[in-house]
Amino acid sequence: MALEIVNLGDTFEIKGSLNESNVNKFKSHFENIFNTTSRLVINIDDLTSIDNHGVLAFEDLYRESLDKNKKLFITGFGCREMYEHLKSMKVA
């Protein structure tokens, strides 16, 4: 399934697969997002699969939120591996 990013007002819903072939679409969609908002909510209930490139894209968003002192919320039950990766990150 192709990657689809749906804007639901204050939440973005990620549908399909996030992988090397479409990670640039994900990155460009959220590029500089924290320049225009103080919080970002991403629902991953319908994220069916994610590879290492996708996880790293979420990691980049997470680091940007920390650098800019913004809030990032990832909601839903999709891709437990991503949650585990983000929880294991060491934040300086």
Side-chain angles (χ1 to χ4, degrees):
M1 179 180 197
L3 177 67
E4 183 179 356
I5 302 170
V6 180
N7 185 341
L8 301 173
D10 63 346
T11 301
F12 289 89
E13 190 172 276
I14 307 299
K15 297 181 178 185
S17 298
L18 180 56
N19 54 47
E20 182 178 13
S21 67
N22 59 26
V23 73
N24 286 333
K25 175 182 177 180
F26 179 87
K27 287 180 176 182
S28 67
H29 191 87
F30 293 109
E31 187 174 43
N32 300 316
I33 189 78
F34 293 117
N35 291 337
T36 59
T37 186
S38 62
R39 65 178 248 157
L40 174 60
V41 180
I42 300 176
N43 182 292
I44 62 168
D45 271 334
D46 294 322
L47 184 61
T48 56
S49 67
I50 188 169
D51 70 2
N52 189 51
H53 297 279
V55 172
L56 293 176
F58 270 101
E59 181 180 322
D60 290 344
L61 268 181
Y62 177 65
R63 288 185 190 280
E64 183 181 358
S65 73
L66 294 174
D67 290 345
K68 295 185 176 180
N69 200 27
K70 307 288 181 150
K71 295 182 190 300
L72 171 64
F73 301 95
I74 301 170
T75 64
F77 293 107
C79 297
R80 179 178 177 185
E81 296 84 4
M82 185 183 62
Y83 285 119
E84 296 300 320
H85 175 75
L86 292 176
K87 284 182 4 183
S88 72
M89 286 178 53
K90 296 191 188 238
V91 179

